Amino acid sequence: MPTIDTGDERVAAAIAEQQELRARVRLHDDYSELRFVAGVDAGFEADGTLIRAAVVVVRLPDLAPVDYALVRQPVIFPYVPGLLAFREAPAIIAAIRQLRTTPDLIICDGHGIAHPRRCGIACHIGVLLDLPAIGCAKQRLIGRFTEPLPERGDRSPLYDGDDLIGWVVRTRATARPVFISPGHRVSLERAPDLVLACTTRFRLPEPTRLAHRLASHDDAPLTSASPPLL
């Protein structure tokens, strides 16, 4: 992936926008019935010049896929640590706006407030769309934690200094944990339980797992047993 000098004017402008978005993040539970959960992810094509953004909506509680969208756009922002949203969010938001089913919650393959400026991609997308959003990342970006116990649902707090910024959660017994933090309109306390409600036998929650498959492969089925039915 190409990189740029962190003194670039676009970086300064992006950081300023990120700080403005952070001021709009709401970390309390602000949703009613959760019926449809969207997972979002992005991949890259054409030597990293084209972003492929996918969103898959599943129905609670059975997690059956009910809608999806896929968008390809030119990459308009280079790779800069901490500014992933400016690279991926425009295409992801475009994909969400193509859905026929409005999600009640978005789970992002990335971070929420577990971010150096407390504004990861889940905050960015959640605020811009004013939808509840959670970040569920495969790796830590910042923070310290102790390894959670080995059973599904076991968790340990993720701290940055004295601030609680998320949870390290075991979604599958003995599997590597994921890093969960709220993005917008979801509380720190509820975020892990909402992700676990969307997780089956896999390490990743079903919405983002399916979105990752769609973002990575043209012919990826929405379930492991059958092709897309939508």
Side-chain angles (χ1 to χ4, degrees):
M1 297 285 183
T3 59
I4 63 171
D5 186 342
T6 55
D8 191 291
E9 290 182 2
R10 286 178 296 172
V11 172
I15 290 173
E17 182 178 348
Q18 197 172 64
Q19 291 169 336
E20 188 273 330
L21 290 171
R22 170 64 188 96
R24 295 162 57 188
V25 168
R26 304 202 303 274
L27 297 180
H28 60 271
D29 295 313
D30 180 16
Y31 49 83
S32 52
E33 182 183 6
L34 296 180
R35 299 169 300 164
F36 302 110
V37 180
V40 301
D41 197 8
F44 294 88
E45 301 175 346
D47 295 323
T49 63
L50 194 68
I51 187 168
R52 176 187 171 102
V55 53
V56 175
V57 180
V58 303
R59 179 183 59 211
L60 289 175
D62 63 354
L63 304 180
V66 297
D67 200 359
Y68 72 93
L70 183 66
V71 164
R72 290 182 175 88
Q73 290 184 355
V75 172
I76 60 172
F77 196 90
Y79 173 74
V80 180
L83 296 176
L84 175 70
F86 293 88
R87 186 173 176 84
E88 298 186 0
I92 290 172
I93 289 172
I96 292 171
R97 286 177 171 157
Q98 288 190 6
L99 293 170
R100 295 163 295 174
T101 305
T102 301
D104 302 304
L105 172 68
I106 298 170
I107 301 179
C108 299
D109 182 14
H111 295 278
I113 63 167
H115 179 277
R117 287 178 290 277
R118 305 293 188 267
C119 192
I121 191 167
C123 301
H124 193 111
I125 291 172
V127 168
L128 289 180
L129 295 178
D130 195 22
L131 287 171
I134 298 172
C136 180
K138 295 184 283 292
Q139 296 179 329
R140 173 183 60 177
L141 179 60
I142 62 168
R144 72 182 193 281
F145 67 97
T146 58
E147 191 75 11
L149 293 173
E151 296 304 315
R152 169 181 161 84
D154 288 336
R155 67 197 71 177
S156 60
L158 179 66
Y159 286 101
D160 183 27
D162 294 331
D163 295 336
L164 176 63
I165 58 172
W167 301 92
V168 186
V169 180
R170 198 84 66 183
T171 53
R172 180 182 176 186
T174 72
R176 288 176 294 126
V178 296
F179 296 82
I180 297 172
S181 59
H184 186 55
R185 293 177 55 183
V186 177
S187 68
L188 269 161
E189 293 75 20
R190 283 288 290 155
D193 293 330
L194 295 178
V195 171
L196 285 166
C198 296
T199 306
T200 58
R201 66 185 187 278
F202 300 101
R203 177 184 176 226
L204 299 180
E206 199 67 1
T208 57
R209 187 184 76 84
L210 295 176
H212 174 75
R213 291 173 62 85
L214 194 59
S216 303
H217 307 285
D218 281 315
D219 57 351
L222 290 185
T223 71
S224 58
S226 61
L229 301 177
L230 303 174

